[in-house]
Amino acid sequence: MSRAAGEDMSAPGSRSPKSHQPDGVEFRLLGRVGIWAGEKFIGPATSQQRSVLAMLLLHAGRTVPLERLMKAVWEQDPPASARNAVQGYVSRLRRLLARVPGAELSTSPPGYRLVLDPARVDLPRFRELVARAQASDHGRACDLLRQALDLWHGPPLADVAGGWLRDTFGVALEEEWLSTVEERIAIGLRLGRHQEALLELPVLVGAHPLRERLVQLTMVALRQDGRRAAALTAYRDLRGRLAEELGIDPGSELRQLYQRLLEEDDLAEAGAGPATGLDHRGRSQDVPALPVPAELPADLVSFTGRGAELARVYETLSAPGPLRICQITGLGGVGKSSLAIHIAHAVAGDFPDGQLYVNLHGDTPHTRSVEPAEAVRRLLRSLGVADAAVPAGLEEAAGRFRSLTRGRRMLLILDNARDAAQVRPLLPGGPGCAVLITSRRRLTAFDGAVQIPLDVLPDREALDLLRALVGEKAVAAEPAAAAEVVRLCGSLPLALCLAAARLRARPAWSLDVLAKRLANTRRRLDELRADDRALRASFQTSYQDLHADPQARAAARMFRLLGVLDGADISLSAAAALAGLPDERAQDLLDHLADAQLVDNYLPDRYRLHDLLRLFARERAEAEDSPPARQSAFHRLLHHYLATVRTITRTLNRGSTWRLEIAPPDLIDPGVILETGRDAKAWIAAEADNVLAAVEQATRTPFADQAVGLATSFAVLLHECGHYLKQFHLAEVALPAAERTNDPLHLAVAHGDLGWAHIYVGRPDDAIRHLHRSRTAFRRAGNTSREAALLDYIGVAHRSAGRYDEAITHHLRALARVGEAGNHLTHGAVLTHLGLAYQRAGRFAEAVAAHTRTIAILRKAGISAYLGVAVGHLAEAHRLAGDPGRAVAYYQHALDLHREAGPIGEFREADILWGLGRAFHDADRTPDAHRSWRRSIGLMQGLNLITAKERRALESSEVPETPQAIQRQH
């Protein structure tokens, strides 16, 4: 209902209250938007800036996306310069806010966040006063409501750009104002102030001629003033207006009040207190009280964990102010309904007028979702409305529900909602109510709603849930099996409940038997069922919704293809390659799946499937997509990884480009273009596990040769980054792929890489065995170019085993071979390893000579990437030779060279820093030594080369022992 032109939105004779702040500065939304000092307007100067300020104030303390700020200024048609313009508005607002203590406007991707004291803003102060009035006696409540209304200086959100802000937020704010005015008048009538009310009510009824509560208050005020006939006339006038404009009759409360007046009953006899005819909410006292529903389902005895989520929901539902809406979202089976019901029981006492519950069956297997009209009829019946009195139309029924809940403190649980359209008509009308929604989809249409995303349980809480379901004794008897059941259920509460139900139904089973049955990936979803509940059916309802239109069907295909992969997660670009789509189109489909809770968009442009959802997606792929279609998708993904690795290698590690020849020369996907070493390092870290999974999976497909090519190219990048354990696992899975191809070159490279990797995980003898097999396979392939490198690696393995003479012999043999080949990088590597062997053997002068020759070769060839490492080895040789001062100087130079070269890995820097610490220590510069060691330790933990416990031990030691990862380098 619109406000009458020129209508004063404060109480008659009111004064504008002073700001609660010592400096007098306040922010106004309830009138002309802006920053004020008393009655002096400070700014912002333009309506566009005021629109931005209004949006930030309406969402104070929360991030407002840039797109929402643009919409506030330009509605649906922002100009091309909108982003830059908003940034300019924000900049000018920051200058204004610099005058306000405690106000901070910060950049908070994807937008901006304004943090300030709520007491400086009129809207939170207004709502706080209204909330305090609800808990006060009549006299105090009337005063508080007057103070609240005094904060209004005109129509809300006045003088902003466009109409979107007023349409979106202003209407609801005007409704808050009008409800508060009605509440104040109702309490005033309770206190016998009918003459004061009769001064206001005609103006209000004129502005809102169809509003029943205003007419009800008018009738009571007239009756108290002795004008019964005028009260009856007020009713008849309203009835005529409603019939003419809406075709409906007044509501039941007003009809019953009219009937009492006709019977000339003294309203004072209807209840205790002054003869107002109203209770403290302004309702007719002779109307039978509405029932107080208590419809919450039983709480779960086994409910476990969720402490952080419970606290957030409780905070939302308990906050004073307007209608509070909280939505819990998450994938099927994650425990949304259980959490909602549990917290509803905990806060039920805060809602003395009742707790309503409706299961909307938005995603219930084999059950039709509840239509909004049916749901609102149920709610009306819960509030005592007879079937015959329930309006037939959805809009009228929803209006009646809002009328019945206005002024009441009720909690409404809308469980398992389908979408916003299903929920919108069911929202109550009063500020004392709260709504708790559960849904698999994120419903973003309700402004101000608090979103609570629910993930699977942490492992410890999942184990606690299993313990609550099967008993402490069972878990204590088989702790390892219990942990395995939790892992195989992916810590998903529904899966754990179903698994526990299976166990309880079969007394002969143990947790170990259950775990072994769940371990079969092709049967796991079959095992997770009990009675009429099944995990597969829960997933099927979400998947079935993906067949509603062409866009959804394309998303369903993307979902199935994701299930084909074994990797832990997937990037946007990799998913696009998998589906054979442009990135933009793939992102649309992935967003669709994320909204349906079928994938988790847990990082920007990265997505993952829950393990059980992956099994379901794979089932659907095997049922709906042909083997050639699945193989083609996987083939595109392999080429995506190959192309990206090829780009990184050619840019940052040219000495290993020979490895690229193992892969096919022509690739069907261009991969990701990475422009800097930092980008390359981030890509390697993010994709290492996925590449490893792809290599292992490709071994079981016709693409085993490409698995070898990918592993061969990626291994050196893992090594450069210091990911030695992953390098070892990659080499382990690449060898079966090479054996499947039976190509001598593939076998040679795979054995060589596995031998190389064995060295860095401390298995020198295994390394030597594989390196000799590699030499044999290279000879069989007619390729002797790797002979020098393999002899060198064998020498490194002997050095790692403490056999220094054998190491020196192999390095010298390699040096003789590399001289013939003329490869500068290999020449430098062999000399480096020879120098390290000399160091271990105590032949320091020869070590210094070897490292010096390495540096000269690298400088002459212009190979800067490894120069810092070579100078670091020279520094260590000088340290071991008893010259710590020179060692410090060389180590510092090595650090500078390493950083200038911009390598993609951090392990070399950790190695140099550790050596620098030892040199400082030998030079009696203990504080410098500890600083250098701490920096090295931090880098090593970041690379997972040491554990947190090892880090603490190293940092607490006066002279820490050199970690194994670094010892193997020297």
Side-chain angles (χ1 to χ4, degrees):
M1 299 179 184
S2 62
R3 184 181 51 81
E7 179 185 341
D8 183 9
M9 302 193 79
S10 58
S14 67
R15 301 187 313 272
S16 298
K18 295 181 180 179
S19 168
H20 290 189
Q21 300 301 317
D23 52 22
V25 177
E26 65 175 345
F27 296 80
R28 291 185 185 174
L29 292 166
L30 308 178
R32 186 187 184 194
V33 171
I35 307 172
W36 297 72
E39 291 307 308
K40 180 183 178 182
F41 179 72
I42 297 175
T46 69
S47 60
Q48 292 87 351
Q49 293 176 45
R50 288 192 286 275
S51 290
V52 172
L53 176 62
M55 276 296 285
L56 293 168
L57 288 171
L58 287 165
H59 301 83
R62 289 179 285 166
T63 297
V64 182
L66 187 60
E67 287 72 16
R68 294 279 285 175
L69 295 174
M70 290 162 56
K71 193 169 188 178
V73 178
W74 293 283
E75 301 187 29
Q76 303 298 330
D77 191 25
S81 60
R83 286 179 175 271
N84 290 335
V86 169
Q87 290 166 358
Y89 301 153
V90 168
S91 179
R92 286 187 280 277
L93 283 175
R94 281 176 172 152
R95 289 197 290 272
L96 273 176
L97 293 170
R99 312 179 195 178
V100 184
E104 180 182 1
L105 176 51
S106 59
T107 301
S108 176
Y112 299 94
R113 181 172 65 241
L114 175 60
V115 177
L116 75 171
D117 183 355
R120 288 190 182 274
V121 187
D122 54 5
L123 180 58
R125 286 164 55 200
F126 166 75
R127 288 171 173 168
E128 183 207 3
L129 288 166
V130 171
R132 287 168 55 192
Q134 291 175 344
S136 302
D137 60 58
H138 298 311
R140 178 62 176 154
C142 204
D143 290 340
L144 289 169
L145 292 177
R146 284 188 185 278
Q147 292 177 39
L149 290 165
D150 284 348
L151 293 168
W152 289 72
H153 295 82
L157 304 176
D159 210 11
V160 296
W164 182 83
L165 267 174
R166 289 188 293 274
D167 293 342
T168 305
F169 301 98
V171 174
L173 290 174
E174 290 198 15
E175 175 64 25
E176 283 191 59
W177 171 82
L178 187 53
S179 296
T180 305
V181 170
E182 291 171 336
E183 190 81 0
R184 180 182 53 75
I185 293 173
I187 295 173
L189 291 174
R190 184 77 173 173
L191 297 171
R193 300 173 183 172
H194 56 277
Q195 292 181 342
E196 180 182 313
L198 288 172
L199 294 175
E200 292 184 77
L201 284 166
V203 177
L204 292 167
V205 172
H208 308 278
L210 302 181
R211 194 169 180 94
E212 294 190 21
R213 193 181 186 204
L214 288 174
V215 174
Q216 183 187 48
L217 292 169
T218 300
M219 292 169 67
V220 172
L222 288 167
R223 178 62 183 85
Q224 287 187 10
D225 199 43
R227 292 188 280 167
R228 187 175 67 85
L232 294 171
T233 299
Y235 173 84
R236 296 183 186 115
D237 289 345
L238 173 66
R239 184 174 60 189
R241 292 193 298 270
L242 289 174
E244 180 180 349
E245 296 190 31
L246 302 179
I248 62 175
D249 288 328
S252 60
E253 286 194 26
L254 207 56
R255 291 199 307 270
Q256 292 181 54
L257 177 58
Y258 174 68
Q259 188 62 38
R260 299 289 289 173
L261 287 170
L262 284 176
E263 296 170 359
E264 298 186 340
D265 215 4
D266 187 351
L267 295 179
E269 296 176 3
T276 65
L278 298 177
D279 66 9
H280 74 283
R281 294 189 180 92
R283 294 195 298 252
S284 175
Q285 288 183 332
D286 56 342
V287 176
L290 291 175
V292 178
E295 298 181 345
L296 297 179
D299 198 3
L300 290 177
V301 177
S302 60
F303 186 88
T304 302
R306 302 294 192 196
E309 292 87 352
L310 284 168
R312 283 196 65 199
V313 178
Y314 181 79
E315 180 184 5
T316 301
L317 299 181
S318 304
L323 176 67
R324 290 143 288 163
I325 302 175
C326 184
Q327 187 198 355
I328 303 172
T329 59
L331 65 92
V334 81
K336 302 179 293 296
S337 298
S338 298
L339 175 63
I341 292 166
H342 185 75
I343 189 66
H345 279 282
V347 302
D350 295 337
F351 300 93
D353 293 327
Q355 306 89 43
L356 296 161
Y357 174 87
V358 182
N359 188 340
L360 296 171
H361 293 297
D363 289 291
T364 304
H366 316 303
T367 303
R368 179 182 61 85
S369 63
V370 178
E371 292 302 318
E374 181 183 348
V376 77
R377 285 195 292 270
R378 291 186 192 177
L379 291 170
L380 288 173
R381 287 194 294 270
S382 296
L383 293 176
V385 179
D387 284 340
V390 173
L394 172 60
E395 186 175 346
E396 186 180 357
R400 185 63 52 82
F401 175 64
R402 290 193 294 273
S403 296
L404 291 176
T405 54
R406 180 167 301 283
R408 308 189 85 202
R409 293 170 62 189
M410 303 190 76
L411 176 63
L412 172 60
I413 311 296
L414 298 176
D415 198 8
N416 200 359
R418 181 184 63 218
D419 52 32
Q422 187 187 32
V423 167
R424 191 175 289 107
L426 310 181
L427 298 180
C433 295
V435 182
L436 188 51
I437 306 167
T438 73
S439 176
R440 295 188 187 182
R441 298 156 194 82
R442 297 180 181 90
L443 310 183
T444 58
F446 307 118
D447 200 81
V450 175
Q451 300 284 339
I452 310 289
L454 212 56
D455 202 350
V456 297
L457 289 167
D459 288 347
R460 187 176 66 180
E461 291 183 8
L463 191 60
D464 288 342
L465 175 58
L466 183 64
R467 187 178 288 109
L469 292 166
V470 303
E472 173 71 41
K473 185 176 179 181
V475 172
E478 299 178 279
E484 182 67 359
V485 168
V486 167
R487 186 187 71 81
L488 293 170
C489 288
S491 295
L492 187 68
L494 177 58
L496 286 165
C497 289
L498 294 173
R502 296 271 284 173
L503 188 67
R504 291 195 302 269
R506 290 160 178 79
W509 284 14
S510 63
L511 279 168
D512 186 59
V513 169
L514 177 61
K516 287 175 179 175
R517 293 179 71 99
L518 291 173
N520 183 342
T521 57
R522 302 196 70 84
R523 292 279 304 162
R524 191 177 305 165
L525 293 180
D526 295 320
E527 295 290 342
L528 294 173
R529 57 182 174 80
D531 298 328
D532 60 344
R533 296 187 302 165
L535 191 63
R536 182 185 284 110
S538 176
F539 292 161
Q540 180 67 32
T541 56
S542 294
Y543 178 71
Q544 203 61 41
D545 287 344
L546 297 179
H547 293 76
D549 54 60
Q551 167 85 352
R553 286 192 289 275
R557 173 179 175 265
M558 174 68 84
F559 175 68
R560 296 194 302 272
L561 292 179
L562 293 175
V564 169
L565 305 179
D566 291 342
D569 70 349
I570 195 165
S571 68
L572 169 61
S573 57
L578 179 74
L581 297 171
D583 282 9
E584 294 80 3
R585 174 65 173 150
Q587 188 165 47
D588 289 342
L589 301 182
L590 290 164
D591 286 345
H592 196 105
L593 294 174
D595 289 340
Q597 298 292 340
L598 287 171
V599 301
D600 179 13
N601 183 196
Y602 73 106
L603 288 173
D605 290 342
R606 295 204 73 85
Y607 304 83
R608 63 187 175 192
L609 287 176
H610 186 274
D611 289 347
L612 296 173
L613 265 176
R614 185 188 308 281
L615 294 180
F616 176 75
R618 187 166 297 177
E619 281 186 355
R620 299 318 314 152
E622 291 173 355
E624 299 180 41
D625 300 311
S626 67
R630 301 198 303 271
Q631 286 187 0
S632 294
F634 184 61
H635 190 220
R636 289 190 296 268
L637 181 71
L638 278 178
H639 279 218
H640 172 81
Y641 288 143
L642 277 164
T644 307
V645 169
R646 180 174 291 177
T647 299
I648 297 173
T649 302
R650 286 176 173 165
T651 303
L652 299 172
N653 202 307
R654 295 178 182 174
S656 299
T657 53
W658 66 270
R659 292 173 169 270
L660 303 180
E661 299 171 5
I662 307 297
D666 299 319
L667 302 177
I668 60 177
D669 186 272
V672 180
I673 305 303
L674 302 165
E675 297 180 353
T676 67
R678 185 181 298 276
D679 292 340
K681 183 185 76 171
W683 187 90
I684 293 166
E687 300 295 347
D689 291 335
N690 293 324
V691 170
L692 199 154
V695 169
E696 186 171 14
Q697 188 171 354
T699 303
R700 306 188 297 271
T701 72
F703 310 124
D705 58 332
Q706 296 175 40
V708 177
L710 179 56
T712 301
S713 303
F714 197 57
V716 70
L717 301 182
L718 289 176
H719 185 79
E720 293 290 339
C721 290
H723 298 308
Y724 300 132
L725 284 175
K726 290 182 179 179
Q727 178 192 353
F728 176 72
H729 293 317
L730 179 66
E732 279 190 313
V733 299
L735 183 57
E739 290 171 342
R740 180 167 179 173
T741 69
N742 202 31
D743 183 308
L745 180 59
H746 291 169
L747 287 166
V749 173
H751 276 295
D753 282 357
L754 185 53
W756 180 33
H758 269 298
I759 294 171
Y760 289 91
V761 294
R763 300 176 183 176
D765 292 330
D766 290 330
I768 291 169
R769 186 177 72 255
H770 282 288
L771 291 168
H772 278 302
R773 289 180 181 175
S774 178
R775 289 181 67 202
T776 302
F778 269 118
R779 289 196 203 100
R780 195 165 71 244
N783 187 332
T784 60
S785 63
R786 299 295 299 159
E787 179 70 11
L790 290 167
L791 285 169
D792 185 43
Y793 294 160
I794 294 170
V796 173
H798 278 298
R799 185 186 85 227
S800 181
R803 297 187 287 265
Y804 307 130
D805 291 340
E806 290 93 330
I808 292 169
T809 298
H810 279 87
H811 292 317
L812 290 173
R813 289 175 61 192
L815 199 58
R817 293 295 185 96
V818 82
E820 302 166 8
N823 184 311
H824 296 296
L825 189 57
T826 305
H827 195 173
V830 173
L831 279 169
T832 291
H833 295 146
L834 176 62
L836 294 174
Y838 281 142
Q839 284 173 207
R840 288 284 188 93
R843 297 160 63 172
F844 303 128
E846 291 164 288
V848 168
H851 293 316
T852 303
R853 286 177 62 194
T854 299
I855 294 167
I857 289 170
L858 295 178
R859 281 187 168 141
K860 183 176 180 180
I863 302 173
S864 60
Y866 300 98
L867 195 55
V869 177
V871 173
H873 288 317
L874 178 60
E876 183 64 8
H878 280 296
R879 186 189 75 82
L880 292 171
D883 192 347
R886 181 172 293 182
V888 166
Y890 273 122
Y891 267 127
Q892 290 174 328
H893 183 46
L895 203 55
D896 292 338
L897 289 170
H898 174 73
R899 290 170 177 170
E900 287 170 10
I904 60 175
E906 293 177 329
F907 177 74
R908 290 176 182 160
E909 183 169 345
D911 186 15
I912 294 170
L913 284 167
W914 191 269
L916 178 59
R918 290 190 293 191
F920 276 137
H921 177 266
D922 290 355
D924 294 327
R925 295 171 59 178
T926 303
D928 290 331
H930 285 149
R931 275 192 293 273
S932 187
W933 280 329
R934 280 195 297 270
R935 288 160 64 194
S936 177
I937 290 165
L939 290 171
M940 282 189 285
Q941 189 181 9
L943 292 168
N944 293 319
L945 295 174
I946 58 172
T947 65
K949 181 179 179 181
E950 289 171 328
R951 176 175 184 164
R952 289 192 295 271
L954 289 168
E955 289 181 335
S956 64
S957 175
E958 183 65 26
V959 184
E961 184 179 349
T962 301
Q964 284 293 316
I966 288 180
Q967 286 188 34
R968 296 188 190 112
Q969 299 289 318
H970 296 274

